[in-house]
Amino acid sequence: MTHGISMAGYMFVNPGEEILVPSLFWGNYNLSFINAYDAKIKPYNLFKGEGLDVAAMGAELMSEGDKKILLLNFPNNPTGYSPDVREMKEIISAVEQAAKAGKKIVVICDDAYFGLVFEEGIEAQSPFAWLANLHENVLAVKVDGPTKEDYVWGFRVGFMTYGIKGGTEALYTALENKTAGAIRGSISNTSNLSQSLLLEAFDSPTYQEEKKEKFNILKSRYEAVKQAMKNPDYAEFFKAKPYNSGYFMCIELKDGLDADVVRRLLIEKYSIGTISLNNLLRIAFSAVAVKDILALFDGIYSACKELTV
Amino acid sequence: MTHGISMAGYMFVNPGEEILVPSLFWGNYNLSFINAYDAKIKPYNLFKGEGLDVAAMGAELMSEGDKKILLLNFPNNPTGYSPDVREMKEIISAVEQAAKAGKKIVVICDDAYFGLVFEEGIEAQSPFAWLANLHENVLAVKVDGPTKEDYVWGFRVGFMTYGIKGGTEALYTALENKTAGAIRGSISNTSNLSQSLLLEAFDSPTYQEEKKEKFNILKSRYEAVKQAMKNPDYAEFFKAKPYNSGYFMCIELKDGLDADVVRRLLIEKYSIGTISLNNLLRIAFSAVAVKDILALFDGIYSACKELTV
């Protein structure tokens, strides 16, 4: 995945160019884009109320300049949010409008957590499915990997897929060759062991079943989080940002609580590991057994209380 | 390895800067340095007669400009040449003179084929061993990997090691952190499978013995090449560039023979695969069984004859 993001940067980002990323984003984008390619990161506001602020994203696409690089990340890291079907249509419509207005848009779909959608009504497809044939001015780039989709942490395999309306064989061949050259010049190739094992796994008759088992484990953790968050006491100190998918969810701390102070108290006294982002704590519920999830949130509650008294 | 070279570029090469590489060099340096980091490649003459042209390398080090990036690659790809002990001392002395003259020198040691030395009197150590503590102005960077050293093609694991005279813990920590950030932003990490298997292998009581067996296979192929090249008829069409180590050797074709035309005839009519580089053919004897090596050179001889008549 990381290497796919890095290669997308290599392919499409010139020094000084802006990449539109959601305002809550994976910190590694800083390393992959800013440090490696001298790009600028321009955040668009992710949430408005309980849903996406699609208008903010659209406004950035329509801002000055002909070339736009948009990054979409669903399920989002850190928030674990994916658009519902209506929101997805709004996103696609905003991209289409900008394309019709003459903007040349590269949309990088970071699909690291693809498939981990836990609610009805949430769009289960990648935006890539909508964008690949949308408009001649829209080049859709899908970056995904088996790390989370297939639960093979440490395999370090990734995929890049391109789609553009009216794309010719010559164009796709050029994209493929340039991508292959970029890979050849940076890592030569991906681990052959990992690739071989994955190919075998994809062909296994029990692949879908084994994958479903793992999905159900994650879904049960997600459900446990939702159940825990029903506790009305928590509202005194924190509330959830919208979440419905992926590996994570975030809680927003009340004014007066410093997320990094809370984080440190949590790890030192409660042995609870979180990541702090401004006034948010990111909770990796994917890594917490169902039986421990209530204790996790109760611990956060206690730490907040301790720091408030 | 490739990623190590790429990371060395990320760490030390600014856009437009020159990297001094041997005049016979691995083509992938173009992708890793020029395409990825907008560097320039400045070749220094590799051979003079039957040995290295150390004076040419030294002159480049002493040329205008305070910062020099020197790439050393022994055993060399494509020629399969490593310096003898006297030549290694000359190389080190040239670097030291430039350092004493005030040049700040980063020396990247591409040690992809480290350990595959087949003759007595050839320096078996990496230049890194000589450079790591040579002078305050010389930062030695060793890049190596198990692909060829341990015969694990496809594992995709690499190592980077830094050495500088008087290097403090703070300096090495800074180098380590910056390298780790560069890796994190480009590939996140190396395949965990490959790393784990290698660690197990290094701890195996039969590791040295198994490695020696593989080395002996390669050495027997090298000896067969030397034996085959004794045929005086070959001199009519080609002669060997200096070689004594590594995976490859090169033959230089006589004037009037086009190496790429010979290459194509060889693959089409003789099923012999080589790589053409100007007027040279690179022979990967590492991949040819001892019993086939005579037929390989006889095939090249026949192809050359066919094209000359």
Side-chain angles (χ1 to χ4, degrees), chain A:
Chain A
M1 266 311 299
T2 304
H3 193 239
I5 294 290
S6 170
M7 291 295 94
Y10 180 105
M11 293 282 290
F12 303 113
V13 186
N14 295 316
E17 283 185 349
E18 283 179 357
I19 305 176
L20 305 175
V21 301
S23 53
L24 290 164
F25 67 88
W26 185 43
N28 215 22
Y29 294 157
N30 290 321
L31 287 173
S32 295
F33 293 131
I34 303 180
N35 295 27
Y37 303 112
D38 282 333
K40 288 181 189 156
I41 279 187
K42 181 93 186 280
Y44 57 86
N45 189 46
L46 184 60
F47 290 128
K48 189 174 178 181
E50 292 308 298
L52 292 177
D53 188 354
V54 179
M57 188 203 82
E60 289 295 347
L61 282 178
M62 292 299 290
S63 68
E64 217 178 318
D66 281 345
K67 177 181 172 186
K68 296 287 164 185
I69 304 166
L70 174 68
L71 193 141
L72 298 175
N73 171 222
F74 303 122
N76 173 266
N77 175 5
T79 66
Y81 188 82
S82 294
D84 61 27
V85 177
R86 184 184 55 77
E87 286 176 322
M88 181 63 89
K89 286 182 178 160
E90 286 174 10
I91 292 169
I92 304 306
S93 168
V95 173
E96 191 176 18
Q97 276 174 46
K100 283 183 176 166
K103 308 286 186 186
K104 308 270 188 182
I105 310 166
V106 177
V107 188
I108 302 169
C109 304
D110 175 347
D111 288 353
Y113 300 92
F114 177 78
L116 299 171
V117 165
F118 307 124
E119 296 280 354
E120 294 292 315
I122 303 304
E123 173 57 78
Q125 296 184 100
S126 163
F128 183 85
W130 299 79
L131 295 166
N133 199 32
L134 183 70
H135 193 281
E136 288 78 1
N137 283 351
V138 178
L139 174 64
V141 183
K142 179 172 171 59
V143 183
D144 59 351
T147 307
K148 276 83 178 190
E149 286 183 42
D150 292 301
Y151 314 99
V152 287
W153 310 280
F155 266 44
R156 307 289 102 197
V157 175
F159 302 88
M160 283 182 85
T161 315
Y162 298 113
I164 184 167
K165 189 174 185 179
T168 59
E169 194 176 331
L171 175 72
Y172 285 122
T173 303
L175 284 169
E176 187 179 345
N177 287 344
K178 189 170 174 189
T179 309
I183 293 167
R184 171 92 179 125
S186 63
I187 61 162
S188 182
N189 208 332
T190 302
S191 164
N192 191 264
L193 292 173
S194 300
Q195 293 185 74
S196 304
L197 287 170
L198 267 173
L199 270 179
E200 290 285 323
F202 291 154
D203 282 341
S204 162
T206 58
Y207 168 71
Q208 291 298 345
E209 190 188 319
E210 291 177 59
K211 190 165 173 169
K212 185 79 188 161
E213 266 175 45
K214 299 284 179 290
F215 174 86
N216 286 336
I217 292 172
L218 285 198
K219 191 175 181 188
S220 67
R221 291 174 182 178
Y222 167 81
E223 300 288 355
V225 170
K226 267 185 41 173
Q227 188 58 37
M229 283 300 296
K230 286 183 178 159
N231 186 339
D233 294 346
Y234 293 169
E236 191 184 345
F237 301 120
F238 56 85
K239 66 174 184 192
K241 298 297 281 182
Y243 67 107
N244 53 35
S245 54
Y247 260 43
F248 315 106
M249 57 87 70
C250 287
I251 56 172
E252 191 171 1
L253 299 178
K254 265 194 96 167
D255 284 353
L257 280 164
D258 181 312
D260 204 56
V261 174
V262 178
R263 179 188 69 76
R264 273 183 275 137
L265 181 63
L266 279 171
I267 192 69
E268 280 157 23
K269 184 164 168 189
Y270 296 84
S271 296
I272 291 174
T274 59
I275 285 180
S276 63
L277 307 143
N278 301 320
N279 65 335
L280 303 182
L281 285 180
R282 189 190 80 168
I283 318 290
F285 63 78
S286 51
V288 183
V290 167
K291 67 174 177 48
D292 296 327
I293 278 178
L294 196 58
L296 166 72
F297 286 97
D298 280 348
I300 297 172
Y301 177 82
S302 300
C304 290
K305 190 161 194 160
E306 194 171 325
L307 289 166
T308 307
V309 172

Side-chain angles (χ1 to χ4, degrees), chain B:
Chain B
M1 266 310 301
T2 304
H3 194 241
I5 294 289
S6 170
M7 291 295 94
Y10 181 103
M11 293 281 291
F12 303 111
V13 186
N14 294 317
E17 282 183 350
E18 283 179 355
I19 305 177
L20 306 176
V21 302
S23 53
L24 290 164
F25 66 87
W26 187 42
N28 215 21
Y29 293 157
N30 290 319
L31 288 171
S32 296
F33 292 131
I34 303 180
N35 295 26
Y37 302 112
D38 282 332
K40 289 181 189 154
I41 279 187
K42 180 95 184 281
Y44 56 87
N45 189 49
L46 184 59
F47 290 128
K48 189 173 176 180
E50 292 307 298
L52 292 176
D53 188 354
V54 179
M57 188 204 83
E60 289 295 348
L61 283 177
M62 290 302 288
S63 67
E64 216 177 318
D66 280 346
K67 177 180 171 187
K68 297 287 164 186
I69 304 166
L70 174 69
L71 193 139
L72 298 176
N73 169 222
F74 301 123
N76 173 266
N77 174 3
T79 65
Y81 188 83
S82 293
D84 61 26
V85 176
R86 184 185 53 78
E87 286 177 322
M88 181 63 91
K89 286 182 179 162
E90 285 174 10
I91 292 169
I92 303 308
S93 167
V95 173
E96 191 175 19
Q97 276 175 46
K100 283 182 174 166
K103 308 286 185 185
K104 307 271 188 183
I105 310 167
V106 176
V107 187
I108 302 170
C109 304
D110 174 347
D111 287 352
Y113 301 91
F114 177 79
L116 299 170
V117 166
F118 307 125
E119 298 279 355
E120 294 293 314
I122 304 303
E123 171 60 79
Q125 295 185 99
S126 164
F128 182 85
W130 298 79
L131 295 165
N133 199 33
L134 183 71
H135 193 280
E136 289 78 1
N137 282 352
V138 177
L139 174 64
V141 182
K142 179 171 169 59
V143 183
D144 60 352
T147 305
K148 274 84 177 189
E149 285 183 43
D150 292 300
Y151 314 99
V152 288
W153 310 281
F155 266 45
R156 309 289 102 197
V157 174
F159 302 87
M160 282 181 86
T161 315
Y162 298 113
I164 184 167
K165 188 172 185 179
T168 60
E169 192 174 333
L171 174 72
Y172 285 122
T173 303
L175 283 170
E176 185 179 346
N177 287 343
K178 188 168 174 190
T179 309
I183 293 168
R184 170 93 179 126
S186 63
I187 61 162
S188 184
N189 207 332
T190 302
S191 165
N192 192 264
L193 293 172
S194 301
Q195 293 183 76
S196 304
L197 287 170
L198 267 173
L199 271 179
E200 290 285 324
F202 292 153
D203 283 340
S204 162
T206 57
Y207 168 71
Q208 292 298 345
E209 190 188 321
E210 293 177 58
K211 190 165 173 170
K212 186 77 187 163
E213 267 175 46
K214 300 284 181 288
F215 174 86
N216 285 338
I217 292 172
L218 286 198
K219 189 173 182 192
S220 67
R221 293 174 182 178
Y222 167 81
E223 301 288 355
V225 170
K226 267 185 39 173
Q227 188 59 37
M229 283 300 294
K230 285 183 179 162
N231 186 339
D233 294 346
Y234 294 168
E236 191 184 344
F237 302 119
F238 56 84
K239 64 173 185 193
K241 299 296 282 182
Y243 67 106
N244 54 34
S245 54
Y247 260 43
F248 315 106
M249 58 85 72
C250 288
I251 56 173
E252 191 171 0
L253 300 179
K254 265 194 96 168
D255 284 353
L257 281 165
D258 181 313
D260 206 54
V261 173
V262 177
R263 180 189 68 76
R264 274 183 274 137
L265 181 65
L266 280 170
I267 192 72
E268 279 156 25
K269 183 162 167 189
Y270 297 84
S271 297
I272 291 173
T274 58
I275 285 180
S276 64
L277 306 142
N278 302 319
N279 64 336
L280 302 182
L281 285 181
R282 189 191 79 170
I283 319 289
F285 63 77
S286 51
V288 182
V290 166
K291 69 174 175 50
D292 296 327
I293 278 178
L294 195 57
L296 166 72
F297 285 97
D298 281 346
I300 297 173
Y301 177 81
S302 301
C304 289
K305 190 162 193 158
E306 192 172 329
L307 288 166
T308 305
V309 175

